[in-house]
Amino acid sequence: MIRVQGLTKRFGDSLVLDAIDLEIQQGEIIVVIGPSGTGKSTLLRCLNFLERPDAGYLEVGELRLDTQKVSRREILALRRCTAFVFQNYALFANKTALENIAEGLIVVNRWPKAKAHARAREILERIGLADKADAYPASLSGGQQQRVGIGRAMAAQAEVILFDEPTSALDPEWVEEVLGLMKQLAAERQTMLVVSHEMGFARDVADRVIFMEGGRIVEQGPPARLFSEPRDPRTREFLRKVLAAQQAAVP
Amino acid sequence: MAILDVGYMVELLPILLRYLPLTLQMAALGMVLALALACALAVVRVLRIPGLNGATLLFISFFRGTPLLVQLFLFYYGLPQIFSALTQINGITAAIMGLTLHFAAYMAESIRAAIVGVDRSQTEAALAIGMTRGQLMRRIVLPQATRVAVPTLMNYFIDMIKATSLAFTLGVTELMGATQKEAAGSFLYFEAFITVALLYWGIVELLAWLQRRLEARLNEAYQR
């Protein structure tokens, strides 16, 4: 289980996260939506200290920490029980698909290379890229790269996988295959916290949708409820705009 | 116009080749030492290590800002007057020292640029899976920075091979020194210096060929 308490982050004068409280149950799939610049990505990045929060408490599995007095070792421990999927994939350009997935197991978990590669092959099988094991990122399509990015996150066997707009940088033709893989993970009850503009995915897959604006959680609930009867006027306004835009995009 | 004495050139070549090992040894040793020093300087610059950063900037500024010949004379003729321990310094040692420091200053900057040039999101990805800074450098950043740095570093190596000829001004009989002596004996200056020029050129071409092969190997991962 994950518990976030009073998580606060400032960039200069602007308050990007305003004392966020959040609980995530094991196996829960949460999608965070909201206008850009409202702290969704920052929330994710604070959960593994890619950004250093200014205040707040984090609890992930066995680990509890006060973000104001956290040691280097605690940050490493936190990162080892979370996994991150980046908008721009961020694959290691000098490593093959197989090596990208095995890298953490070898370097961080100190597995023998053979064992790590065997696990990486299993994962490549699951993400449908068994034939691309020896391909370097530069030779993969965007969709394939992001699936490897997800595979790398899967290898970590983390308490939670954090997805930071995983399909936003993709050409439309590759979006479905990435969402498909995420649905597969959701069906296996992998705990997921997803920042996304894919309303269809949120509606079909999420257990809970969180609407954020201005560094706060404005409203949250099961997608059926949140999408059909949003309570806050800001949520209504956002959904109206986004859904209109997405419907317009569908022929 | 006198006719080129090709026969003399053919006779001269094996004599000059005896001095090639010394030239190559100075260049190779200078390159290894310069690379090690340049890596250390680059890391200081990238991590902005307090205290050392300023000293590094001063070092780079001085050794890039003054002629190599001046630096060599400073080491060989100047320093022994100040530090009596250095009176034993021989020309070869002084030359290697000068080449090392001079080229380290240049190479530090290109290594630094190559490190900084590695895509930042990969750094974040490595940190996100729980790598330490050291692991990140060793496994992700340096291998990619190497690929970027190799062409310029090879250029410096080529430049350094040619710069070893300045050691002759410190009384070292290397390739250039030997040529000078032979030419002074035969008075066939043109033949002597064109022979040594072709020799340097050949070595550099050989290195350029090696460089192309190395680059092709390093670029394997980046082919679309």
Side-chain angles (χ1 to χ4, degrees):
Chain A
M1 199 189 74
I2 293 159
R3 181 176 291 140
V4 179
Q5 257 185 325
L7 194 69
T8 301
K9 174 71 183 172
R10 279 186 191 80
F11 288 128
D13 287 338
S14 73
L15 191 57
V16 185
L17 292 179
D18 186 1
I20 298 278
D21 295 328
L22 178 65
E23 269 188 34
I24 305 171
Q25 303 303 320
Q26 186 160 9
E28 199 177 7
I29 288 103
I30 298 183
V31 175
V32 183
I33 60 172
S36 10
T38 48
K40 308 184 298 289
S41 290
T42 307
L43 170 62
L44 250 54
R45 292 167 60 82
C46 280
L47 292 182
N48 70 351
F49 270 73
L50 282 182
E51 300 289 351
R52 204 184 181 91
D54 293 314
Y57 294 87
L58 290 178
E59 215 181 298
V60 181
E62 305 288 290
L63 195 71
R64 297 153 162 264
L65 43 91
D66 175 351
T67 59
Q68 275 178 318
K69 38 187 178 203
V70 61
S71 67
R72 197 174 278 223
R73 173 181 279 182
E74 283 175 317
I75 292 177
L76 281 181
L78 177 67
R79 286 173 176 163
R80 285 166 192 190
C81 62
T82 57
F84 205 96
V85 174
F86 293 82
Q87 181 175 351
N88 64 353
Y89 338 127
L91 296 184
F92 305 129
N94 59 328
K95 303 205 175 280
T96 62
L98 181 85
E99 290 167 343
N100 263 279
I101 295 171
E103 183 69 5
L105 297 172
I106 295 169
V107 180
V108 177
N109 302 10
R110 306 206 173 278
W111 286 21
K113 199 167 161 184
K115 187 181 168 197
H117 279 196
R119 168 60 59 80
R121 278 187 205 287
E122 285 171 32
I123 291 173
L124 280 169
E125 199 77 51
R126 284 173 65 195
I127 63 178
L129 289 174
D131 57 329
K132 296 289 184 190
D134 299 323
Y136 285 95
S139 68
L140 298 174
S141 74
Q144 290 169 335
Q145 288 191 57
Q146 190 57 298
R147 279 150 71 197
V148 174
I150 294 172
R152 179 171 66 184
M154 288 160 67
Q157 300 209 289
E159 294 273 338
V160 60
I161 301 183
L162 309 165
F163 291 82
D164 188 10
E165 303 202 22
T167 57
S168 299
L170 288 171
D171 287 338
E173 55 181 319
W174 311 123
V175 170
E176 269 319 305
E177 66 181 64
V178 171
L179 290 180
L181 175 57
M182 290 169 66
K183 283 178 187 164
Q184 183 187 321
L185 282 180
E188 294 164 11
R189 303 317 292 174
Q190 163 70 54
T191 314
M192 292 160 65
L193 183 59
V194 184
V195 170
S196 180
H197 296 294
E198 295 290 339
M199 295 300 145
F201 177 82
R203 200 196 306 253
D204 298 344
V205 180
D207 298 310
R208 178 157 44 123
V209 175
I210 293 177
F211 174 71
M212 272 182 79
E213 194 184 271
R216 292 186 188 179
I217 294 176
V218 173
E219 182 170 356
Q220 53 182 312
R225 206 276 297 148
L226 193 117
F227 282 118
S228 57
E229 39 191 301
R231 288 176 189 145
D232 194 281
R234 286 170 292 180
T235 318
R236 265 201 296 277
E237 175 64 14
F238 174 75
L239 287 174
R240 195 180 57 74
K241 275 189 203 157
V242 172
L243 293 176
Q246 294 202 346
Q247 265 156 19
V250 177
Chain B
M1 199 179 93
I3 294 167
L4 192 67
D5 190 341
V6 177
Y8 173 72
M9 288 170 66
V10 173
E11 275 171 38
L12 183 62
L13 191 63
I15 299 171
L16 295 187
L17 280 176
R18 286 208 296 270
Y19 297 91
L20 183 61
L22 179 58
T23 288
L24 293 182
Q25 276 162 21
M26 286 196 294
L29 195 54
M31 187 66 186
V32 170
L33 295 174
L35 256 182
L37 179 57
C39 284
L41 295 173
V43 168
V44 168
R45 294 271 285 118
V46 170
L47 301 180
R48 295 205 181 82
I49 297 173
L52 287 178
N53 199 30
T56 300
L57 281 173
L58 183 66
F59 174 90
I60 291 172
S61 174
F62 177 77
F63 283 98
R64 280 208 306 192
T66 53
L68 177 56
L69 190 60
V70 173
Q71 293 164 14
L72 291 177
F73 277 27
L74 196 59
F75 286 128
Y76 187 63
Y77 299 112
L79 281 189
Q81 294 188 335
I82 312 282
F83 304 102
S84 50
L86 289 176
T87 44
Q88 299 300 322
I89 195 168
N90 68 33
I92 296 175
T93 312
I96 292 171
M97 234 169 90
L99 291 169
T100 298
L101 299 179
H102 183 80
F103 282 93
Y106 279 95
M107 297 194 310
E109 284 300 283
S110 54
I111 292 172
R112 184 187 69 86
I115 290 175
V116 171
V118 174
D119 170 23
R120 227 194 104 68
S121 70
Q122 291 183 44
T123 298
E124 291 198 332
L127 293 177
I129 61 175
M131 281 197 205
T132 61
R133 293 238 157 231
Q135 290 168 336
L136 158 70
M137 272 287 163
R138 247 190 353 269
R139 308 274 309 187
I140 308 299
V141 176
L142 291 182
Q144 293 184 61
T146 303
R147 166 178 165 261
V148 176
V150 155
T152 43
L153 293 180
M154 282 300 280
N155 263 344
Y156 287 128
F157 185 43
I158 285 171
D159 208 13
M160 191 186 286
I161 289 175
K162 294 180 294 172
T164 55
S165 61
L166 291 175
F168 128 83
T169 61
L170 309 186
V172 180
T173 311
E174 39 63 71
L175 209 47
M176 179 62 194
T179 311
Q180 167 68 19
K181 278 183 188 159
E182 291 297 322
S186 67
F187 295 109
L188 293 169
Y189 288 102
F190 185 81
E191 281 82 351
F193 290 122
I194 198 71
T195 305
V196 80
L198 289 172
L199 202 49
Y200 279 115
W201 191 10
I203 298 162
V204 168
E205 273 308 301
L206 185 68
L207 273 168
W209 175 76
L210 283 173
Q211 175 182 357
R212 284 192 292 274
R213 289 194 44 173
L214 181 60
E215 280 177 33
R217 250 195 63 189
L218 288 170
N219 282 330
E220 251 168 48
Y222 305 86
Q223 307 299 324
R224 278 178 192 275

